Amino acid sequence: MAREQLQTLTEPMYYILLALTEECCGVDIMEKVRTLSRGRVTVGPGTLYAMLAKFEEKDIIRLTAADGRRKSYIITDAGREELKKEFERLQTMVRDGAFFFR
Amino acid sequence: MGMKKKTVRKTFCYRNCDDFAAYLNHMARLGWHFKEHRTGLIFEQGEPEDSVYAVEVFSKADETDTRPLPETEEFAEYCEAAGWKFVDAWRKFVVFKRIRPDAVPIMTDEERFEAISEADGHSVWRWLGVSLAWSIMQLLEFHSGFKYSIFRNRELIIAGTWFLLFLLAAARAVQFLFWKRRCVRRMEQGRKLFFGRDASDKWDSWLYLTILGIQALSLAYIGEGWIALVILGMAAALILMGFLIAHFRPDATVSAIIQTLGGFAICIAALTAFTILGQSERQLDQAVVEPPVVYSDIWDDPGEPEDIYSKRYESVFGAWNICHLEYADGELYYEVFRSDHAWVLDGVWRDIMKGRATKEGTDCTELWDAEIAILSTADYYKVRFENVILDIRCDRHPLTEADIASIVEAFGLR
């Protein structure tokens, strides 16, 4: 799910979706995001819980397993497409900025 | 041997959740560790600890929940992975205890503000809506039957109470909006939010109790204390029901059923009490009085009346006498309204001027030498003087100047 008015993903959203490119248990996502971002990005449990619910509602991710309260998710094709668009947008921004910061 | 426990009846609203957490931290340092919530906060005695609690507002929970929902427990799993152990949940409160020093904050300030303002906002706007609706109903009642309300202290006390409750609800709503604006500004400035108590939170409940207490005392003072007793009885029954639900903590479905059926039963009991006690009151009817003016005060004595209906209603705004006397050879009907307040008599005049018979009536102001006088097509004279209105009909129709002079003297209209 993007920020509807800007059509972009926030940093936590981006890293959560990156973490879910492989099937992952919800409670492990926080640690995975920290690892992927080398400790730079931290997602709190409240933020994560709310985002997983919204992503699932928007069909960006899907539930793959539920063991009691523990649920596992994986990104859907639509979610992968959103993630790819965001990655390309960020790459374009880096390329445009490279001229000024060479 | 069981650990020593104690129950503390301390309440916090959602906006005070950080003060709530600070309180739990303080108790832990004294050796009292929060375990659960039932009819109050239940603490278990142990070693003093420098514990860190977090109290969050969980949007998916409901005001009527007495135990954690499955969604709350799922949320708790994520929090435990982040270093927070779930302690208990009720209504929209969720309490956690930190189990790792590097625990990540559960929610961002923006998320907390959104959850808290939604939770508290529901309560603020709901109460404002209810009190406004009741106040409007009272106003409409006054408007549609002004004379029936303005001369009865009971109606004035009840209407006044609802109006005060509405003013208090409006003040709470304004305070809530200011609180929201302060939080938004702090977030825009990049400052951390702390959801603590401010001075007004302390007097909020006391003001409600004071208003209701004044109402009860006022009703008792005018001899209508039975109404206050019925209302107090209802309140006590609701509090008892809430106490039992909080103690036993049934699941959401059972709790909803109990509250619905219990609330329904309490309303039926209250209506029954109002009907029975109101019926007794009508039988005693303190409004029944001797007629202030009888036929013989105006004209020749026609003998004893065969039927008398005479009542008087009095309030801080004036008095209303209504009288109907039937004689073998005569009849007299009148209503007299006395008030020192022009706006009261304006309202009464509007009331008695309703109806086609009056609207199509004839002006007879000169005949009565009054501020205004109308003879309706149904032979009622409606006359207004400075501090009194007379609505009169009798068998001697049309009235002569001599009749009118006698009436004016008998009623003391000038």
Side-chain angles (χ1 to χ4, degrees), chain A residues 25-31 34 42-54 69-71 73, chain B residues 58 60 69-75 77-82 84 100 102 104-108 111 114:
Chain A
C25 181
V27 297
D28 298 329
I29 292 173
M30 286 179 285
E31 186 54 40
R34 223 186 336 258
T42 307
V43 176
T47 307
L48 176 62
Y49 179 82
M51 279 192 191
L52 289 176
K54 283 184 183 165
R69 307 264 178 257
R70 292 186 161 235
K71 294 177 179 174
Y73 299 91
Chain B
F58 187 55
K60 289 190 177 179
L69 302 173
E71 290 89 340
T72 317
E73 289 171 347
E74 185 188 340
F75 175 57
E77 289 279 334
Y78 291 99
C79 294
E80 184 152 354
W84 295 93
R100 287 202 322 251
D102 64 342
V104 176
I106 295 170
M107 292 162 86
T108 62
E111 288 162 351
E114 199 181 309

Side-chain angles (χ1 to χ4, degrees), chain B residues 1 22 40 85 102 105 148 179 199 231 246 253 267 306 335 357 371 398 405:
Chain B
M1 192 162 63
K85 186 169 160 44
D102 64 342
Y148 298 104
W179 169 83
I231 292 171
T253 308
C267 285
E306 291 178 346
E335 291 183 58
E371 283 186 10

Side-chain angles (χ1 to χ4, degrees), chain B residues 206-279:
Chain B
W206 288 112
L207 269 177
Y208 280 110
L209 286 172
T210 303
I211 290 170
L212 293 172
I214 290 173
Q215 182 197 45
L217 288 172
S218 304
L219 287 170
Y221 182 74
I222 63 169
E224 305 263 22
W226 64 273
I227 297 176
L229 281 175
V230 174
I231 292 171
L232 280 171
M234 268 182 81
L238 285 168
I239 289 169
L240 179 63
M241 184 173 72
F243 191 86
L244 290 170
I245 289 172
H247 179 74
F248 292 106
R249 302 187 75 175
D251 67 39
T253 308
V254 173
S255 176
I257 292 170
I258 292 172
Q259 286 178 64
T260 305
L261 293 177
F264 189 66
I266 290 168
C267 285
I268 295 290
L271 279 169
T272 307
F274 272 120
T275 307
I276 293 171
L277 292 171
Q279 187 67 34

Side-chain angles (χ1 to χ4, degrees), chain B residues 297-313:
Chain B
D297 292 330
I298 307 169
W299 299 290
D300 295 334
D301 190 350
E304 285 300 310
E306 291 178 346
D307 191 28
I308 300 176
Y309 176 91
S310 176
K311 286 194 178 179
R312 177 180 171 84
Y313 299 100

